[in-house]
Amino acid sequence: MELRRGGVGSQAVGRRMEGDSRDGGGGGCKDGGSEDYENLPTSASLSTHMTAGAMAGILEHSVMYPVDSVKTRMQSLNPDPKAQYTSVYGALKKIIRTEGFWRPLRGLNVMVMGAGPAHALYFACYENMKRTLNAVFHHQGNSHLANGIAGSMATLLHDAVMNPAEVVKQRMQMYNSPHRSALSCVWTVWRTEGLGAFYRSYTTQLTMNIPFQSIHFITYEFLQEQVNPHRGYNPQSHIISGGLAGALAAAATTPLDVCKTLLNTQENMALNLANISGRLSGMANAFRMVYQLNGLPGYFKGMQARVIYQMPSTAISWSVYEFFKYFLTKHKLENRTPY
């Protein structure tokens, strides 16, 4: 059996492997790929979800990392005059010209180390929780409530792994960062602020990511029902649904992301302006400080960069995840099937 991608029958592979009890996927799909589809197992294995998720997370964050660096800087409440930007493209151009070609990639290594295991847990938890909850809430199809709850539960695991990597990554992304390597950043934060610094923004991260992921997963699954009703492996539909879902969720949760960035970076100039000595902690305090320094517009700083970052990120993540899930399950089946 070869890995077919063109026919409808071959497209009917990916989502059916999740074990969703949808009835509409098989009708009218009897072409050259239908035999392959019918021989596939009813659900992908846990190891398949984790491997596909890890690949999706690593590729997503690697490809979009320069834009993420710009987003972090554009969310600065009191940026250095040399680090004030009006557009994502202008910011990238200025950073490369004044700080070097590789500067937008500083901190990428720690992000990759965090993204792999975090996304492995994230997708594996989501798929298994979604399948379980759909059976409880909506026996004959797809429940948006189940998808939202599954996404929220997956976020708890994802953020527990990713939060320390986010702290290190964002401190290395800031303009004039004193940290030249991830290890030196980890050591400095640990020595000067303690272990709690790596989770100072965890509650804010969850407060942001739980609604983000709920909106993201509900929108993605809804759009899949519209553009890919057979729920098969269809790269175009995964890219479109993933991109639109990520853009909507990113725009809606920008105020929380601004507060998270402030807690992660502990921006010195902003803290001094607000007459805060020591360290800022707590989402409520971050919300008050953002309003104190920038008013309501402060909550939407960097929204353009956030949407530009999240839209292709989620498109890449879903398309890579669905491909590897499809490919790995087909590969396992082929190894078990005698010719």
Side-chain angles (χ1 to χ4, degrees), residues 110 164 167-168 171-172 179-195 197-198:
V110 72
V167 171
V168 174
R171 294 198 182 203
M172 295 182 71
H179 310 293
R180 292 292 177 262
S181 72
L183 282 177
S184 70
C185 182
V186 170
W187 171 245
T188 301
V189 172
W190 183 302
R191 181 170 48 83
T192 59
E193 302 176 47
L195 180 63
F198 295 106

Side-chain angles (χ1 to χ4, degrees), residues 7 20 26 37 60 123 152 216:
D20 292 339
Y37 160 66
E60 168 197 345
F123 277 107
S152 300
H216 169 208

Side-chain angles (χ1 to χ4, degrees), residues 2-19:
E2 69 179 294
L3 185 63
R4 298 185 180 92
R5 294 178 60 174
V8 178
S10 65
Q11 290 176 352
V13 170
R15 278 292 172 183
R16 284 298 189 94
M17 295 187 298
E18 296 172 5

Side-chain angles (χ1 to χ4, degrees), residues 311-327:
M311 191 170 186
S313 287
T314 47
I316 292 168
S317 181
W318 277 110
S319 59
V320 171
Y321 172 71
E322 295 287 2
F323 168 75
F324 274 99
K325 187 174 70 173
Y326 173 82
F327 176 78

Side-chain angles (χ1 to χ4, degrees), residues 24 28 63 72 93 102 130 134 148 156 166 179 197 217 240-241 257 274 278 290 294 304 319 332:
V63 171
T72 297
K93 187 176 178 181
W102 298 107
K130 181 181 75 170
N134 266 304
L156 294 174
E166 283 277 346
H179 310 293
F217 281 117
I240 293 169
S241 300
D257 192 47
V290 171
N294 293 102
Q304 177 197 39
S319 59
K332 286 182 179 181

Side-chain angles (χ1 to χ4, degrees), residues 134-190:
N134 266 304
V136 173
F137 294 148
H138 206 92
H139 291 286
Q140 296 302 318
N142 183 41
S143 165
H144 296 305
L145 176 60
N147 298 334
I149 294 174
S152 300
M153 296 300 294
T155 299
L156 294 174
L157 291 176
H158 173 274
D159 288 1
V161 176
M162 278 295 285
N163 209 86
E166 283 277 346
V167 171
V168 174
K169 177 260 295 186
Q170 289 195 312
R171 294 198 182 203
M172 295 182 71
Q173 287 173 333
M174 293 297 285
Y175 177 75
N176 244 358
S177 171
H179 310 293
R180 292 292 177 262
S181 72
L183 282 177
S184 70
C185 182
V186 170
W187 171 245
T188 301
V189 172
W190 183 302

Side-chain angles (χ1 to χ4, degrees), residues 4 6-12 26 28-38:
R4 298 185 180 92
V8 178
S10 65
Q11 290 176 352
C29 292
K30 295 289 186 182
D31 64 3
S34 61
E35 183 180 352
D36 286 349
Y37 160 66
E38 290 168 354

